[in-house]
Amino acid sequence: MSGILLYTAAPDTEGTLGGLVSLGRSERLGPAIDQALEEARLCSSDPMCAEHDPRVHSRLHGAACHACLFAAETSCERGNHFLDRALLVETLSGDACAFRT
């Protein structure tokens, strides 16, 4: 099972319920998801973020950090555990396990 969370941090009309509804329309949702996946390929902390190996560092996350995937501790039910951009998209580390290449 998977899902997509749509949110906006803009205080203008895009941040209203009507703005989110318009983002969910098929002509806008597909391009928004494509853009989000493309932007997930790079992190401002790469290559250090992309090359993070949870087995070596004894952490419960892979290619994820505060610059790209971590949410505030008070809003993340799982405490940001098990996050890894490389499972979804190809990162600078060149992992071939990305779901979407």
Side-chain angles (χ1 to χ4, degrees):
M1 182 177 286
S2 61
I4 296 174
L5 170 67
L6 291 178
Y7 76 94
T8 180
D12 60 1
T13 57
E14 291 292 322
T16 64
L17 183 57
L20 288 175
V21 169
S22 73
L23 284 174
R25 293 201 171 108
S26 60
E27 66 272 3
R28 293 187 71 190
L29 184 60
I33 291 172
D34 288 339
Q35 180 182 2
L37 290 171
E38 186 60 35
E39 290 178 7
R41 292 179 187 276
L42 289 176
C43 170
S44 59
S45 295
D46 278 341
M48 188 169 46
C49 177
E51 294 174 349
H52 179 83
D53 187 347
R55 296 168 293 190
V56 174
H57 302 294
S58 300
R59 302 283 173 111
L60 297 176
H61 61 272
C65 70
H66 287 284
C68 61
L69 291 183
F70 285 178
E73 291 176 9
T74 55
S75 64
C76 182
E77 181 179 296
R78 302 274 183 208
N80 292 312
H81 296 313
F82 313 114
L83 297 175
D84 193 347
R85 293 181 295 130
L87 292 176
L88 186 60
V89 294
E90 205 171 312
T91 62
L92 289 178
S93 66
D95 289 337
C97 66
F99 178 72
R100 183 177 185 270
T101 56

